Amino acid sequence: MELWRRSRWLVLTAVVILGGGIAMSLVGEDDVPADPLAVAPADARVVARVDVDALLDSAIWRLAMDQEEATGARRIERVCGYDPLALVDDVVIFASGPDEDPFEYAGFVARGEVARGRSRREQLVRCVEAVLNERGGGVEPVEIEGETAIASAHGESHAAFLGADGVVGGDRESVSQAIRVHRGAASSARATGTLGALWAEVAAGRDVVLAGELPERWLPTLRRAARGAEGDLAVLATVRALAIGVGVRDGLTLSAALRTATAADAERLRDAIQARIDGALETPGAGFTVVGRVLRAIRMSVRGAELRLVAQASTDQLEGMLEMWRELRSSASEAEAPSDSAPEPEPEPDSAPEPATESEPEPEAEAEAEPATESSSDSES
């Protein structure tokens, strides 16, 4: 979900920096390939794909979308008169870079009705102009790979239409890579086959898919972090690549494939995860909760140096877990409330002595009256 939250706004941000100068620009006339690995550049360290229709129609999106997300989506729709994201079929996100900075370049390609044909592109441009006017932003025309494109006023974000039905956005290098791949002038991630095998393990029937290799320069840090991990979870430092697929059309289904350094490491990782699951289920009452039922249904298998995991939750179970999470968050907020309001009772001790202070003069007045009485008696005698 977090991946989609970020990529969703990445798409909308790129839509914002599109302009009239590229409204009719087409980099080739073919549709953008449906295969995500055929869209991403060959040197991509991470590739992800989001089926927008499936996600927006899913129970998890309706249940988990917070107020900020809902408000932002409504603002775009109010300004533009329609929701551009509703016309996007899917989004491919990719990141690449040298060993010292493996995710230096990040971009995306969105494809769908949002960019198909003159009328849709003109509609998108009008939307962009309206959003820009409201936000006070600015863009300038640039050229990337011989094509007209647009850059943000600060030059950090770029965008262009791609093929017959695509929009590419991100930093300049990522836009350039995507254009070259679409033209056939550069290899794609599918051609290299580096991530293809892992992708195939988890992608079937999944609506959100991510595959990536862990950079070599991360391994020392992972090993140091793993030394502090409790129990056998230190074996996580042996993971070299992973792929995760999430299905959201009917509840939530998760498939994962983790490639470790050796087959023995994969078995150790499986045993470590199973030990954590067993430990959670041993908590009194945990086995009767919705979380317990989901944990018991997790299945794992090892094939060579690869660990495969599958977990599933029905829509009802998902709603139960989210409701439990909300209750825990609400309880935590209530527990913090007394400490926040603790200073309020402080004025009470200050006001308590006031009645005593006001009543103190009364005995003094009585004492002053006594001599007057005595004086009166003396005169009578």
Side-chain angles (χ1 to χ4, degrees), residues 297-312:
I298 292 176
R299 298 291 178 263
M300 291 184 289
S301 62
V302 173
R303 180 182 297 177
E306 188 174 294
L307 170 65
R308 298 179 185 177
L309 180 150
V310 177
Q312 188 168 6

Side-chain angles (χ1 to χ4, degrees), residues 332-343:
S333 299
E334 292 175 1
E336 293 175 359
S339 61
D340 296 337
S341 58

Side-chain angles (χ1 to χ4, degrees), residues 57-366:
D57 290 340
S58 68
I60 189 171
W61 179 258
R62 294 191 300 272
L63 293 168
M65 186 176 68
D66 58 28
Q67 186 61 35
E68 181 181 355
E69 288 283 338
T71 301
R74 285 194 296 268
R75 186 188 305 117
I76 294 289
E77 188 168 357
R78 174 180 58 80
V79 173
C80 297
Y82 80 114
D83 182 7
L85 197 64
L87 300 177
V88 175
D89 292 338
D90 57 28
V91 180
V92 177
I93 305 108
F94 55 89
S96 60
D99 289 339
E100 57 272 17
D101 191 359
F103 305 121
E104 179 179 2
Y105 307 114
F108 78 91
V109 173
R111 67 184 189 93
E113 190 67 19
V114 70
R116 186 184 292 281
R118 177 180 296 272
S119 62
R120 284 301 186 191
R121 295 192 176 198
E122 289 176 344
Q123 182 184 33
L124 182 57
V125 170
R126 289 194 297 270
C127 171
V128 170
E129 291 173 344
V131 173
L132 284 174
N133 289 336
E134 185 184 63
R135 298 186 178 184
V139 297
E140 58 184 21
V142 296
E143 187 175 287
I144 301 177
E145 297 295 325
E147 297 292 334
T148 302
I150 288 296
S152 63
H154 300 291
E156 296 176 355
S157 299
H158 297 71
F161 287 113
L162 184 69
D165 64 342
V167 176
V168 55
D171 55 76
R172 184 183 182 91
E173 177 61 22
S174 296
V175 173
S176 177
Q177 287 180 323
I179 292 175
R180 292 197 302 269
V181 170
H182 185 76
R183 289 174 173 171
S187 298
S188 69
R190 172 63 68 191
T192 62
T194 305
L195 298 177
L198 274 176
W199 188 279
E201 295 289 345
V202 303
R206 301 296 180 254
D207 306 304
V208 180
V209 183
L210 178 147
E213 295 182 328
L214 299 183
E216 287 291 332
R217 65 188 299 268
W218 283 15
L219 299 182
T221 302
L222 286 174
R223 282 192 288 269
R224 287 193 297 271
R227 281 198 291 269
E230 183 180 343
D232 207 25
L233 279 182
V235 73
L236 283 169
T238 67
V239 175
R240 296 294 180 265
L242 59 85
I244 299 172
V246 182
V248 298
R249 294 177 186 274
D250 183 16
L252 184 69
T253 303
L254 181 144
S255 301
L258 294 87
R259 185 181 298 159
T260 59
T262 67
D265 291 330
E267 292 178 356
R268 287 174 53 213
L269 181 57
R270 176 200 57 199
D271 295 343
I273 295 174
Q274 188 62 56
R276 287 304 180 93
I277 294 173
D278 293 343
L281 291 174
E282 288 174 1
T283 303
F288 300 100
T289 66
V290 61
V291 175
R293 291 193 292 274
V294 172
L295 288 175
R296 281 198 302 268
I298 292 176
R299 298 291 178 263
M300 291 184 289
S301 62
V302 173
R303 180 182 297 177
E306 188 174 294
L307 170 65
R308 298 179 185 177
L309 180 150
V310 177
Q312 188 168 6
S314 66
T315 300
D316 290 342
Q317 289 174 329
L318 185 60
E319 291 176 351
M321 288 188 290
L322 287 170
E323 182 61 30
M324 183 182 300
W325 174 73
R326 292 191 186 100
E327 290 177 359
L328 290 173
R329 189 172 64 172
S330 176
S331 299
S333 299
E334 292 175 1
E336 293 175 359
S339 61
D340 296 337
S341 58
E344 294 180 3
E346 289 181 3
E348 294 180 2
D350 295 338
S351 59
E354 290 179 3
T357 304
E358 292 174 357
S359 61
E360 282 176 5
E362 293 178 3
E364 293 178 5
E366 292 174 1

